[in-house]
């Protein structure tokens, strides 16, 4: 057999020519001389086909990856090694050179290819929505029978700002597009419904309260035949604060604290600590505020009763001794609270507490 390229005889032929000629004519890679990629001008995400992909890479790295992704390698190439260098940058055009090294039929081969990469700058859907003030959900900060206090609003704002910053690392739609103060409270417009749910959960964990969701129809996606909704998330802060007094069923207790799940109470009669779930909030009645606590003094003590002066009328009132007040002595100043005509001793006044 002879090679039609070089005329060598007694050579094994590969695709009709000898090994030496085949290696000389073989290419390690093939790549277009011009490559075009589309990058979001705001977040640097990359358009692949019809889908945008997040990217934390630099523009130069995206250019190099685009070069690699646009080349093809024949199946007769082994041990291929590639590197891409950027030679010049002119506006949105990157002139690159691809260095390829590999083996063809056991023979080392090296070659270089020049490629021009043009960058088209556009705006991904997420950034486009952000720029237009798009939102999927509204977090409504409300308080039961009152306007949220300035301290509450500041705490909630700090939670939202901190949590949004953390969520935006993985979700670009986790942003606040607008904040509106109205007569009922404050509304936060959130780009992502998923982010809004996480934000509302973080607020409830700290502030307590009752959370309700309400979807509202805002239009229809004709291309998919689906209705479009926005979700309003209402966070209703309670009509009490730590230290206030509430009644639940037949129990009266002082609010000692609360979290996202429950309200902790100290029973006025037994001093036992018990809890009420937030879902029972509508069954709770506020019966006194911490500011309603008065100071009076113990005027006498018997084995069964302690006598105090009523803090307003100054009339003597006998209170049956129980374990929580048994250590009180004549002359002690004590904190008292009157509920439904009954006086409760809450403990020693702090100036007398040892």
């Amino acid at each position: 057999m002879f090679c039609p390229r070089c005329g060598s005889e007694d050579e094994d032929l590969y695709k009709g020519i000898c090994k030496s000629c085949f290696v000389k004519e073989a290419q390690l890679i093939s790549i277009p001389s011009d490559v075009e990629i589309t990058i979001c001008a705001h977040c640097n995400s990359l358009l692949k086909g019809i889908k945008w992909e997040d990217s934390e890479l630099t523009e130069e790295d995206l250019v190099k990856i685009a070069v690699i992704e646009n080349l093809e390698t024949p199946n007769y190439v082994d041990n291929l090694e590639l590197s891409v260098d950027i030679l010049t940058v002119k506006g949105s055009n990157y002139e690159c050179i691809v260095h390829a090294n590999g083996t063809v039929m056991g023979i080392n081969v090296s070659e270089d290819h020049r490629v021009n990469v043009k960058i088209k700058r556009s705006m991904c859907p997420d950034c486009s929505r952000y720029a237009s003030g798009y939102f999927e959900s509204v977090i409504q900060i409300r308080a039961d029978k009152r306007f949220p206090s300035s301290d509450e609003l500041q705490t909630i704002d700090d939670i939202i700002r901190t949590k949004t910053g953390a969520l935006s690392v993985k979700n670009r739609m986790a942003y606040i597009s607008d904040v509106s103060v109205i007569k009922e409270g404050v509304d936060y417009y959130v780009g992502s419904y998923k982010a809004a749910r996480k934000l509302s959960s973080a607020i409830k964990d700290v502030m307590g309260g009752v959370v309700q969701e309400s979807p509202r129809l805002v239009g229809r996606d004709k291309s998919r035949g689906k209705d479009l909704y926005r979700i309003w998330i209402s966070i209703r802060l309670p009509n009490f604060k730590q230290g206030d007094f509430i009644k639940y069923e037949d129990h009266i207790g002082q609010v000692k604290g609360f979290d996202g799940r429950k309200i902790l109470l100290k029973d006025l009669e037994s001093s036992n600590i018990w809890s009420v779930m937030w879902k029972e909030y509508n069954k709770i009645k506020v019966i006194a505020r911490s500011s309603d606590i008065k100071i009076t003094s113990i005027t006498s003590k018997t084995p069964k009763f302690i006598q105090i002066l009523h803090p307003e009328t100054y009339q003597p009132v006998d209170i049956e001794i129980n374990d929580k007040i048994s250590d009180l002595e004549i002359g002690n100043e004590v904190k008292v609270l009157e509920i439904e005509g009954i006086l409760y001793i809450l403990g020693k006044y702090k100036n007398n507490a040892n």
Side-chain angles (χ1 to χ4, degrees):
M1 304 177 95
F2 77 99
C3 176
R5 293 280 197 278
C6 65
S8 299
E9 297 181 354
D10 299 327
E11 292 277 353
D12 291 331
L13 301 183
Y14 186 81
K15 292 193 176 182
I17 57 178
C18 69
K19 177 179 179 180
S20 297
C21 290
F22 180 81
V23 171
K24 289 178 183 179
E25 296 182 7
Q27 279 194 315
L28 296 178
I29 61 173
S30 61
I31 187 171
S33 57
D34 294 289
V35 173
E36 186 175 270
I37 59 174
T38 300
I39 297 176
C40 178
H42 294 267
C43 69
N44 224 36
S45 59
L46 180 66
L47 180 62
K48 287 193 172 183
I50 60 173
K51 184 179 180 181
W52 288 89
E53 294 185 0
D54 294 344
S55 175
E56 298 180 357
L57 299 176
T58 64
E59 193 170 282
E60 289 78 8
D61 288 336
L62 290 173
V63 166
K64 293 179 180 180
I65 291 173
V67 171
I68 298 296
E69 290 181 343
N70 278 274
L71 61 81
E72 295 181 352
T73 304
N75 56 15
Y76 54 74
V77 176
D78 296 316
N79 307 314
L80 181 65
E81 295 180 358
L82 298 168
S83 64
V84 180
D85 291 328
I86 297 174
L87 300 178
T88 61
V89 180
K90 295 180 181 179
S92 59
N93 291 287
Y94 284 73
E95 185 182 2
C96 306
I97 186 167
V98 185
H99 305 288
N101 295 283
T103 58
V104 178
M105 302 183 73
I107 298 175
N108 292 328
V109 178
S110 298
E111 60 190 39
D112 295 334
H113 295 260
R114 286 181 177 266
V115 183
N116 182 68
V117 179
K118 179 178 178 59
I119 294 180
K120 289 181 62 178
R121 303 189 189 280
S122 183
M123 190 181 293
C124 71
D126 287 351
C127 290
S128 179
R129 290 169 180 165
Y130 176 80
S132 66
Y134 172 88
F135 63 95
E136 292 181 355
S137 188
V138 180
I139 297 178
Q140 299 176 306
I141 307 301
R142 304 289 187 265
D144 188 20
K145 300 176 183 178
R146 62 185 179 88
F147 190 85
S149 70
S150 58
D151 288 343
E152 288 173 326
L153 292 177
Q154 184 60 59
T155 299
I156 289 170
D157 194 73
D158 291 342
I159 293 170
I160 287 179
R161 301 298 174 183
T162 301
K163 187 71 173 178
T164 299
L167 292 173
S168 64
V169 175
K170 293 184 178 181
N171 180 4
R172 286 203 306 275
M173 297 297 290
Y175 60 78
I176 306 300
S177 66
D178 193 17
V179 180
S180 177
V181 180
I182 58 177
K183 64 179 181 179
E184 296 87 1
V186 179
D187 292 345
Y188 288 85
Y189 293 76
V190 188
S192 163
Y193 167 58
K194 289 183 179 180
R197 290 199 69 183
K198 292 179 180 179
L199 290 173
S200 59
S201 178
I203 294 169
K204 189 175 187 296
D205 285 344
V206 175
M207 308 299 294
V210 179
V211 177
Q212 292 181 322
E213 293 191 10
S214 175
R216 300 184 188 179
L217 182 65
V218 296
R220 186 170 178 82
D221 186 339
K222 294 181 180 179
S223 64
R224 295 188 298 172
K226 291 185 177 181
D227 291 333
L228 299 177
Y229 291 89
R230 284 189 176 131
I231 311 299
W232 268 250
I233 303 176
S234 172
I235 301 176
R236 183 161 56 114
L237 303 178
N239 188 26
F240 56 75
K241 296 180 181 180
Q242 186 169 332
D244 289 343
F245 299 85
I246 66 173
K247 184 174 184 179
Y248 173 74
E249 295 180 341
D250 295 329
H251 300 282
I252 297 176
Q254 185 177 25
V255 179
K256 305 304 291 183
F258 43 79
D259 56 23
R261 295 180 58 251
K262 58 185 180 297
I263 307 157
L264 294 177
L265 302 163
K266 183 178 181 180
D267 193 278
L268 283 194
E269 294 185 353
S270 68
S271 294
N272 292 333
I273 300 296
W274 49 287
S275 64
V276 179
M277 305 302 289
W278 281 109
K279 65 182 180 180
E280 301 293 306
Y281 176 76
N282 289 332
K283 299 178 182 179
I284 290 174
K285 179 182 179 182
V286 179
I287 54 177
R289 303 292 182 182
S290 59
S291 58
D292 294 326
I293 297 173
K294 307 296 183 182
I295 307 300
T296 189
S297 57
I298 296 175
T299 55
S300 69
K301 182 179 181 180
T302 69
K304 291 186 177 181
F305 293 96
I306 286 178
Q307 188 178 87
I308 63 173
L309 293 179
H310 191 286
E312 294 180 347
T313 66
Y314 302 106
Q315 296 297 313
V317 177
D318 290 330
I319 296 177
E320 188 173 357
I321 291 178
N322 55 45
D323 290 341
K324 72 174 184 177
I325 62 174
S326 60
D327 61 340
L328 297 176
E329 301 294 341
I330 297 173
N332 286 158
E333 287 189 318
V334 292
K335 296 179 292 182
V336 297
L337 180 71
E338 185 172 14
I339 297 176
E340 298 175 350
I342 300 175
L343 277 174
Y344 295 88
I345 297 177
L346 304 180
K348 286 183 182 179
Y349 182 49
K350 62 180 179 181
N351 288 349
N352 291 94
N354 295 321

